[in-house]
Amino acid sequence: MFGEKIVTGPLLMGIFILAIVVLLILIIKFKLNAFVALLVTAFATGILVNMPLNEVAQTVTDGFGGTLGSIGMVTGLGVMLGKFMFESGGIESICNRILGVFGDKKSPIAVALSGFITGIPVFGDVVYIMFAPMLRVLSKKTKISMVTYACAISVATTCTFALVLPTAPPLAVAETIGIDIGIFFFYALISAFVGMIVGGILWGKVLDKQDKKNNHFYTFEDLDEEEEQIEKKSSKELMGAGKALSILLVPIILILLGSFVPLAVGADSPIMPVISFIGNKNFAMMCGVIYAALISRKYIEKTATDVMTEAADQVGLILLITGAGGAFGKILQATGIADYVAGSLSQFSIPILVLCFLIAQIIRCAQGSTTVALMTTAAILTSTIAASGVSPILCSIAICAGGIGLSLPNDSGFWAISRFFKISVTDTIRGWTIGGFIAGLAILVFVSVLSLFQGVLPGLM
């Protein structure tokens, strides 16, 4: 009968593998929405482990609600923040300013930096849509390979998506493992920057040399319409780059104050209640959205309410998938599968940072979604990380790094990059799949070096 005994031993590993296989089949073979696929897998896993049926339902509910309760508000506010930056033309101004500083020859660096900044408040596909016409014109003008530009923007954007708050995946990892998000943000931002340099810029240079050597270039015969669109945009008054950056900085500064001031003044300081309040992620993001609405008024044709409503519409599916990922993770923890899988893998004496990266990378490669891979890995390794002696901050970054590379055709982002930049599947693999993997490896090496100094560096222990 159901609920008499929860399965133990090697059978747990078999059920876990079956659950992952079923999840992959539902998403890849049957094209089922990831939200529904995760819920089906979560319920099925609980039933197969013989958990009492009422506990299965309650655990799924608790996992879903707990995840959204911790990250739902800040994710929604983050999308609103990005929407104001996009509608006001602020993101375009940032990109134009950076391109103006670096010039044509170093434009791939400028593109990577632009993607790195815009990838924080704006989701990947929107960034690709926004940049594609400009990058194709740049490639035609500079004779720099289009694959190099695609590599620069896609790797940079995904580094921030996978690592930098307030995007959903790193926020979910931070909440699952229970780490301070301000300190995590600080080290994750630096790590993402390292990944961008190695995987987005340096690998992009290699691609450009390869394409020049092989005389491999795109003709851009269809560029007339895109060039006209760019000219029309240039006639519109845009928010300045400084103002646009200030929208990002308001919540970031507040969150960092809430995390680092206690390290300086001590937890017993009389100013701590105020610091904790203003550094709260939800309050900080709310302040950022209000500030964005106020300074964007003269640059947007829509009302602030319309912008917020459109942003809320965009965030719905993101929250559903994230919540379902939390439900699946909760089932893995409640049934003992997470502890058993982590314990089994630990027998191979794999360093914890490598283990974090490896599991996330395997799941990411297998089913395509960065969010699902990171949340599942965090759920599996939470207790192992706590007992490892390695900073949970660095372990969380290693997990996030595993979600960057080896994007295959089962990933919708793979096709977004190929479609919007109008490059072949082979070139998408060269620029994005391999470039992202190199970026993830670079971040893993970087956090491994940081772990040698975790007793000295602030906030890591």
Side-chain angles (χ1 to χ4, degrees):
M1 291 178 64
F2 287 117
E4 287 187 351
K5 182 181 179 183
I6 294 181
V7 175
T8 58
L11 190 54
L12 285 174
M13 180 67 83
I15 292 173
F16 170 69
I17 293 172
L18 178 62
I20 296 298
V21 170
V22 169
L23 180 64
L24 298 180
I25 291 173
L26 290 175
I27 294 175
I28 299 170
K29 174 71 174 175
F30 294 102
K31 310 296 182 186
L32 195 62
N33 182 276
F35 164 62
V36 178
L38 281 164
L39 286 182
V40 170
T41 307
F43 278 112
T45 301
I47 293 170
L48 284 175
V49 175
N50 218 19
M51 177 185 280
L53 294 180
N54 63 324
E55 289 187 20
V56 174
Q58 190 59 49
T59 302
V60 169
T61 302
D62 291 345
F64 187 89
T67 301
L68 291 190
S70 61
I71 73 167
M73 192 181 303
V74 71
T75 302
L77 290 169
V79 175
M80 290 181 185
L81 199 79
K83 189 71 172 174
F84 276 112
M85 291 181 68
F86 178 75
E87 292 289 344
S88 65
I91 288 176
E92 197 170 332
S93 292
I94 292 173
C95 301
N96 291 338
R97 178 71 64 85
I98 294 174
L99 284 167
V101 169
F102 282 88
D104 290 348
K105 289 186 178 180
K106 295 182 178 179
S107 55
I109 300 176
V111 167
L113 287 173
S114 299
F116 189 83
I117 294 171
T118 57
I120 297 174
V122 180
F123 290 102
D125 286 5
V126 177
V127 176
Y128 305 148
I129 291 169
M130 180 178 65
F131 273 85
M134 176 179 67
L135 295 187
R136 299 184 78 238
V137 171
L138 266 177
S139 183
K140 179 182 179 182
K141 176 183 176 183
T142 64
K143 307 302 181 186
I144 294 173
S145 170
M146 187 62 213
V147 186
T148 295
Y149 285 121
C151 173
I153 192 70
S154 60
V155 170
T157 303
T158 308
C159 280
T160 52
F161 174 73
L163 279 152
V164 183
L165 306 174
T167 58
L171 191 59
V173 171
E175 293 292 340
T176 301
I177 296 178
I179 55 178
D180 184 287
I181 65 165
I183 295 172
F184 174 60
F185 170 84
F186 177 76
Y187 287 105
L189 183 68
I190 298 172
S191 300
F193 195 77
V194 170
M196 176 202 71
I197 291 173
V198 179
I201 296 175
L202 297 182
W203 176 245
K205 286 185 177 181
V206 172
L207 293 173
D208 188 49
K209 289 180 181 178
Q210 289 177 351
D211 286 349
K212 281 184 168 65
K213 180 180 178 181
N214 298 324
N215 198 30
H216 174 57
F217 291 100
Y218 289 87
T219 59
F220 304 116
E221 295 174 351
D222 59 339
L223 265 183
D224 291 343
E225 183 179 342
E226 294 183 359
E227 288 175 329
E228 287 177 10
Q229 290 176 353
I230 293 174
E231 288 178 7
K232 287 180 182 178
K233 285 184 178 180
S234 64
S235 63
K236 174 186 173 184
E237 184 182 5
L238 306 177
M239 176 187 285
K243 280 187 177 180
L245 279 175
S246 72
I247 292 176
L248 272 182
L249 290 175
V250 166
I252 288 172
I253 290 172
L254 291 177
I255 290 172
L256 290 178
L257 283 174
S259 298
F260 283 95
V261 169
L263 299 178
V265 303
D268 298 329
S269 172
I271 66 169
M272 276 310 301
V274 176
I275 295 298
S276 297
F277 178 73
I278 66 173
N280 176 272
K281 61 181 184 292
N282 294 322
F283 179 78
M285 290 301 299
M286 182 194 72
C287 291
V289 169
I290 293 172
Y291 174 73
L294 291 173
I295 69 168
S296 300
R297 285 183 299 177
K298 64 177 288 189
Y299 304 102
I300 58 178
E301 298 175 357
K302 304 172 184 177
T303 66
T305 300
D306 288 339
V307 173
M308 292 179 186
T309 301
E310 289 178 11
D313 291 340
Q314 293 175 1
V315 82
L317 184 58
I318 297 164
L319 290 179
L320 287 177
I321 294 173
T322 304
F328 182 46
K330 190 76 171 178
I331 283 286
L332 293 179
Q333 291 174 338
T335 57
I337 289 176
D339 289 339
Y340 185 82
V341 171
S344 300
L345 291 170
S346 299
Q347 295 175 7
F348 295 100
S349 300
I350 301 173
I352 184 62
L353 291 174
V354 176
L355 188 62
C356 289
F357 175 85
L358 192 60
I359 294 177
Q361 187 74 103
I362 290 170
I363 298 175
R364 162 82 163 100
C365 182
Q367 53 77 51
S369 169
T370 296
T371 303
V372 174
L374 301 192
M375 294 190 67
T376 304
T377 305
I380 292 170
L381 294 178
T382 298
S383 59
T384 305
I385 290 170
S388 68
V390 177
S391 168
I393 299 284
L394 299 181
C395 291
S396 299
I397 294 173
I399 290 173
C400 293
I404 297 174
L406 290 186
S407 168
L408 299 175
N410 60 345
D411 174 17
S412 62
F414 180 97
W415 296 109
I417 292 165
S418 177
R419 182 173 69 253
F420 293 134
F421 297 124
K422 299 184 181 181
I423 59 176
S424 68
V425 170
T426 301
D427 284 340
T428 305
I429 292 173
R430 292 172 63 227
W432 162 225
T433 304
I434 297 175
F437 181 65
I438 291 171
L441 282 179
I443 294 168
L444 176 62
V445 172
F446 180 66
V447 294
S448 298
V449 173
L450 289 183
S451 70
L452 301 176
F453 305 96
Q454 66 181 29
V456 179
L457 295 170
L460 290 185
M461 292 300 292

